[in-house]
Amino acid sequence: MEIVDILQDGVVILELKGRLDTTNYSFLEEKIMKLIDDNQTLILVDCSDLSYISSSGLRIMLMGLKKINSVKGKFILCCLQDNIREIFEISGFTSIFSIFPTRQDALKQF
């Protein structure tokens, strides 16, 4: 998995590319923790190039959401592929996360 981070108008956009699973979830965890340590608490995760997410990946997303909420920030997801959206729906995460169909729609929430 590759993580590209972009700063746009005070929002950190994390573009996830590839598979988020047990072999690499720790990279996303480290990235989110470093952002919070650096007081970057407005995070948008763009999943347009995310092809797979495992339960470990879901756990890191949930951890990120909880950490950001605890510091009064925002953690928003956008551009979920159909297979990723289905995993979020099955796990009940669509009711927990703010998820938007496009990056532009998501950026308006900040």
Side-chain angles (χ1 to χ4, degrees), residues 39-56:
N39 293 317
Q40 297 287 335
T41 58
L42 302 177
I43 298 176
L44 172 59
V45 181
D46 185 329
C47 299
S48 55
D49 292 322
L50 185 66
S51 60
Y52 175 79
I53 188 166
S54 70
S55 59
S56 299

Side-chain angles (χ1 to χ4, degrees), residues 37-91:
D37 289 344
D38 293 342
N39 293 317
Q40 297 287 335
T41 58
L42 302 177
I43 298 176
L44 172 59
V45 181
D46 185 329
C47 299
S48 55
D49 292 322
L50 185 66
S51 60
Y52 175 79
I53 188 166
S54 70
S55 59
S56 299
L58 288 172
R59 185 178 60 78
I60 292 308
M61 292 281 202
L62 185 60
M63 180 271 315
L65 176 68
K66 288 181 176 182
K67 285 281 190 188
I68 291 293
N69 285 345
S70 73
V71 294
K72 307 291 189 251
K74 287 191 176 184
F75 190 87
I76 295 176
L77 308 178
C78 73
C79 307
L80 272 65
Q81 300 294 327
D82 289 342
N83 60 323
I84 304 298
R85 177 171 283 286
E86 185 177 349
I87 292 168
F88 272 78
E89 288 171 355
I90 289 169
S91 64

Side-chain angles (χ1 to χ4, degrees), residues 7-50:
L7 184 60
Q8 181 177 331
D9 299 324
V11 176
V12 177
I13 302 168
L14 298 178
E15 295 177 347
L16 305 184
K17 301 176 186 234
R19 297 171 56 89
L20 177 56
D21 57 29
T22 56
T23 63
N24 57 25
Y25 73 88
S26 61
F27 297 118
L28 181 59
E29 181 177 23
E30 289 170 13
K31 178 61 111 175
I32 292 169
M33 291 300 108
K34 179 159 182 13
L35 288 170
I36 294 169
D37 289 344
D38 293 342
N39 293 317
Q40 297 287 335
T41 58
L42 302 177
I43 298 176
L44 172 59
V45 181
D46 185 329
C47 299
S48 55
D49 292 322
L50 185 66

